[in-house]
């Protein structure tokens, strides 16, 4: 009787090992499929984001950087490195470039993030392009208008820079008198 019980137990364990082996194979196949989809998604994101940011930089600067995204594995997680590229040299945007280029890239990244997420078609900004040289501000204004129209995105922003508001559909001047803000639409 003990032998028959052990044989039944052995049969059950062998069956369980076979089932677990199949689950392991299925899990590995699922992992490969997920990795393949993740890689395809990363490539699509790379193309979409880098394209919009590079286009924004080209619209503002006479000798623009190309914007590049690189997905890398670190500490078991996928991270995204952002680069400005010129003459095949990768530059860290925050360390090796001026603040104006970073401002333009930041604006384009915000628009891109919105376009990926969706939701309300409004982007609210406070003093964008404050590091951009005065001579390039009208180009930045044109670029904002272009992205706004292309992405069907309304941009509401505060700015003291006259060149940035050149292409605005509406401009409101705000003055403060004795702690009270007065708002007037500019004609």
């Amino acid at each position: 009787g003990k032998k028959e019980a052990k044989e039944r137990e052995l049969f059950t364990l062998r069956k369980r090992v076979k089932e677990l082996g199949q689950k392991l194979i299925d899990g590995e196949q699922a992992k490969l499929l997920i990795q393949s989809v993740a890689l395809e998604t990363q490539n699509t994101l790379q193309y979409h984001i880098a394209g919009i940011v590079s286009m924004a930089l080209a619209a503002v600067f006479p000798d623009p950087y190309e914007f590049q995204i690189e997905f890398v594995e670190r500490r078991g997680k996928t991270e995204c490195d952002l680069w400005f590229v010129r003459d095949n040299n990768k530059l860290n945007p925050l360390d090796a470039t001026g603040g104006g280029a970073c401002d333009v890239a930041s604006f384009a990244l915000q628009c891109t993030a919105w376009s990926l997420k969706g939701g309300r078609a409004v982007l609210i900004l406070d003093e964008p392009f404050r590091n951009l040289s005065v001579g390039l501000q009208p180009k930045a204004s044109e670029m904002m208008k272009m992205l706004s129209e292309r992405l069907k995105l309304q941009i509401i922003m505060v700015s003291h820079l006259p060149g940035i508001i050149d292409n605005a559909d509406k401009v409101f001047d705000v003055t403060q008198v004795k702690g009270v803000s007065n708002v007037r639409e500019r004609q």
Side-chain angles (χ1 to χ4, degrees), residues 70-157:
E70 201 173 273
F71 290 98
V72 292
E73 285 283 323
R74 289 192 189 104
R75 299 173 296 280
K77 296 191 181 214
T78 302
E79 295 182 4
C80 180
D81 289 341
L82 307 177
W83 302 102
F84 283 168
V85 179
R86 184 179 282 153
D87 301 324
N88 292 322
N89 293 321
K90 288 183 185 177
L91 306 168
N92 181 328
L94 299 177
D95 294 337
T97 63
C102 289
D103 280 354
V104 171
S106 173
F107 170 77
L109 284 168
Q110 289 175 58
C111 290
T112 305
W114 172 84
S115 75
L116 292 171
K117 182 181 177 229
R120 293 187 72 184
V122 178
L123 186 61
I124 300 173
L125 304 169
D126 185 20
E127 298 288 346
F129 311 111
R130 64 183 160 269
N131 296 308
L132 190 62
S133 64
V134 175
L136 295 175
Q137 290 173 8
K139 290 278 192 190
S141 180
E142 291 172 17
M143 178 269 301
M144 280 195 318
K145 182 78 167 177
M146 176 186 62
L147 277 178
S148 171
E149 290 172 352
R150 178 178 277 190
L151 298 175
K152 298 185 182 2
L153 177 64
Q154 180 183 12
I155 299 170
I156 300 171
M157 69 176 196

Side-chain angles (χ1 to χ4, degrees), residues 55-70:
M55 180 185 63
L57 289 166
V60 175
F61 295 99
D63 183 22
Y65 294 103
E66 179 187 336
F67 188 77
Q68 194 174 85
I69 295 175
E70 201 173 273

Side-chain angles (χ1 to χ4, degrees), residues 3-17:
K3 181 181 176 192
E4 286 178 15
K6 290 294 179 187
E7 286 175 350
R8 281 193 302 270
E9 184 180 344
L10 182 61
F11 176 78
T12 302
L13 289 173
R14 284 185 176 150
K15 185 177 173 185
R16 181 76 177 138
V17 166

Side-chain angles (χ1 to χ4, degrees), residues 140-179:
S141 180
E142 291 172 17
M143 178 269 301
M144 280 195 318
K145 182 78 167 177
M146 176 186 62
L147 277 178
S148 171
E149 290 172 352
R150 178 178 277 190
L151 298 175
K152 298 185 182 2
L153 177 64
Q154 180 183 12
I155 299 170
I156 300 171
M157 69 176 196
V158 174
S159 182
H160 295 93
L161 306 173
I164 293 297
I165 60 173
D166 286 349
N167 290 293
D169 293 330
K170 287 189 179 195
V171 175
F172 294 91
D173 290 313
V174 180
T175 56
Q176 198 172 60
V177 179
K178 295 183 181 178

